[in-house]
Amino acid sequence: MNLARQWCGGHTSPILCIDAAPGPEGLVASGSEGGQITVWNQDGSKVGSLQLCSKEDCTSLVFSPSASAQLYVSHGETVSVVDYRNLGSTVEEFEDVGNEEINALALNETCSAVAVADDSGAVRILDLPGGKVCRTLRRHTNICSSVAFRPQRPNNLVSVGLDMQVILWGLQKTRPMWILNLQDMLEEEGHQQQPGQLFNPPLAHCVTVSSCGNIVSCAAEDGQLHLMRIGGGSKLEQQGAVKAHSQGASQAHFVNFLSHPYWLISGGNDGHVALWDLSKHPVVEGKSKPQSQENDEKRKKRKIKAKPKKQDTASVQVEAENISKDDQATAQTEKIDSELKLRIDHGDKVNWLCPAVLKGEPSVIVSDQSSTLAVYSLST
């Protein structure tokens, strides 16, 4: 049994977001409803707190990769810059950079830009320092829920939203390099829900990119972790999914401190936190068929099945298809078992996950509907 350590006393409202500063001695920050920001030591002791004057919910926060004392926090339509060494007030305010409430922030590795995703579906790119809006990316038709820069490619950004779209942007030309609609993808594959599971569309909640920059994963309302492989020329090369949660998956983060870049941690509305080894997944290994070839073959199969057939032939075909589906389900279960390395029954709906090395121990920090943080070991 993986027992949680509790970090208490930092908030009085549910905690909505967490981030860990880079480096072995990095601090941890959390933001909650009502605009309270708390900074923690790695042992869970509180460094200090800041109450935002606006008292707007803290929806996202991220430490600067180049100036680890600085923290970027979104609340309402504003992004605030905080220095944990002086929590008496914010250092800087970038006001009205969201057209509506901001849902997510992402900083590129060079700390030259911050991406801001909001309820209108727009993604705005702010130049740093200064916070001036230099680009506005509009293609989502519903809430844009999460954004992530590709490591080693500071001008590539991935965004996802409740329109079920995953978009890779090239910021030089401010237009999509490709768009993947998760609903269309599932229909193309003839995806079926697991027995006893309620149907949920693949609304995309959280996106993450592996440290190599070539594998994208997003957590979706259908309980799956959708995977995409980016090939040469930043083209969408392959896609697939892992059935991860019995209810909506709310969080997915690649873990950059384990044995390879393809460890992924996820959390969901089912109250579970799971650690996945995706190094042997066909999308990660590049063993799946190219996207265009696979789709062409599926279209051909559908056309063949649509032709009129004699009754006895049809019966044989239905029986064969059922056997094939059973075999596929068994193979999928075996594949999931081989990828799942750790499952934690947290017991409450997950708001946010933050992988971190705490006092030398690989860990994950979990926030839920409460005002406390739970810390679990990732040692398998």
Side-chain angles (χ1 to χ4, degrees):
M1 183 179 294
N2 198 326
L3 298 176
R5 304 191 304 275
Q6 300 290 330
W7 290 7
C8 307
H11 295 274
T12 57
S13 301
I15 300 169
L16 302 179
C17 50
I18 322 166
D19 193 35
E25 303 301 324
L27 301 177
V28 174
S30 54
S32 68
E33 292 180 0
Q36 191 171 42
I37 303 163
T38 297
V39 179
W40 311 80
N41 282 311
Q42 292 193 3
D43 60 1
S45 59
K46 190 171 76 168
V47 174
S49 293
L50 169 65
Q51 175 64 60
L52 296 173
C53 296
S54 65
K55 294 189 178 180
E56 295 167 320
D57 295 349
C58 297
T59 53
S60 181
L61 50 76
V62 58
F63 279 99
S64 167
S66 60
S68 59
Q70 287 192 339
L71 184 68
Y72 291 77
V73 184
S74 63
H75 52 99
E77 300 169 11
T78 300
V79 175
S80 294
V81 184
V82 175
D83 189 322
Y84 74 75
R85 297 166 299 186
N86 181 13
L87 290 171
S89 62
T90 59
V91 174
E92 203 169 4
E93 300 274 342
F94 307 146
E95 296 181 341
D96 300 323
V97 293
N99 193 42
E100 296 181 22
E101 184 179 33
I102 297 169
N103 296 307
L105 300 176
L107 279 166
N108 65 4
E109 290 177 317
T110 60
C111 207
S112 60
V114 58
V116 176
D118 69 22
D119 276 358
S120 74
V123 179
R124 289 178 173 81
I125 309 299
L126 281 56
D127 275 335
L128 296 177
K132 181 181 179 181
V133 176
C134 62
R135 296 173 184 84
T136 300
L137 313 176
R138 300 183 188 276
R139 191 58 68 96
H140 287 286
T141 58
N142 204 324
I143 291 170
C144 184
S145 50
S146 183
V147 284
F149 281 97
R150 287 181 70 194
Q152 306 173 44
R153 297 162 183 83
N155 287 313
N156 276 191
L157 179 79
V158 185
S159 65
V160 301
L162 301 193
D163 56 1
M164 300 177 283
Q165 292 192 128
V166 182
I167 303 178
L168 177 65
W169 302 89
L171 298 185
Q172 296 95 331
K173 298 182 179 180
T174 65
R175 65 169 181 251
M177 304 180 79
W178 50 259
I179 300 175
L180 176 65
N181 187 294
L182 298 179
Q183 182 66 43
D184 292 347
M185 180 193 75
L186 294 178
E187 290 175 357
E188 192 72 41
E189 294 179 347
H191 174 75
Q192 294 182 345
Q193 296 283 113
Q194 296 292 327
Q197 183 182 13
L198 295 175
F199 173 76
N200 288 313
L203 312 177
H205 294 303
C206 180
V207 69
T208 180
V209 186
S210 63
S211 59
C212 67
N214 293 333
I215 304 298
V216 176
S217 178
C218 70
E221 188 63 27
D222 60 356
Q224 297 199 89
L225 302 174
H226 295 268
L227 302 175
M228 290 129 271
R229 181 181 184 86
I230 304 175
S234 296
K235 294 180 180 179
L236 176 59
E237 196 170 75
Q238 295 166 204
Q239 55 78 26
V242 172
K243 182 60 195 172
H245 295 274
S246 61
Q247 298 180 36
S250 56
Q251 286 281 289
H253 299 273
F254 279 106
V255 183
N256 61 11
F257 49 75
L258 295 178
S259 56
H260 56 70
Y262 308 117
W263 289 93
L264 183 74
I265 194 159
S266 66
N269 296 343
D270 57 2
H272 286 109
V273 176
L275 179 66
W276 306 87
D277 180 354
L278 300 180
S279 58
K280 302 300 182 183
H281 192 281
V283 172
V284 173
E285 287 193 312
K287 290 183 177 180
S288 299
K289 294 177 182 178
Q291 185 74 28
S292 57
Q293 179 184 346
E294 189 174 351
N295 288 344
D296 288 344
E297 289 183 5
K298 286 169 182 172
R299 291 189 189 99
K300 289 177 182 177
K301 287 180 181 178
R302 285 203 303 273
K303 289 179 181 178
I304 292 171
K305 291 177 183 178
K307 292 180 180 179
K309 296 180 177 65
K310 294 180 180 179
Q311 185 64 36
D312 56 344
T313 306
S315 299
V316 171
Q317 183 183 7
V318 168
E319 183 179 355
E321 286 179 6
N322 288 338
I323 293 172
S324 176
K325 287 175 182 176
D326 289 342
D327 290 343
Q328 289 175 6
T330 301
Q332 184 182 30
T333 300
E334 291 173 352
K335 184 66 179 176
I336 288 175
D337 288 343
S338 68
E339 293 167 345
L340 178 61
K341 297 302 180 182
L342 180 65
R343 185 179 290 277
I344 300 166
D345 185 3
H346 177 67
D348 201 355
K349 177 181 176 182
V350 174
N351 275 344
W352 205 280
L353 296 178
C354 179
V357 178
L358 303 176
K359 297 292 186 180
E361 182 181 17
S363 306
V364 61
I365 310 167
V366 182
S367 71
D368 51 33
Q369 309 301 296
S370 72
S371 60
T372 64
L373 294 172
V375 180
Y376 297 93
S377 170
L378 292 183
S379 299
T380 57

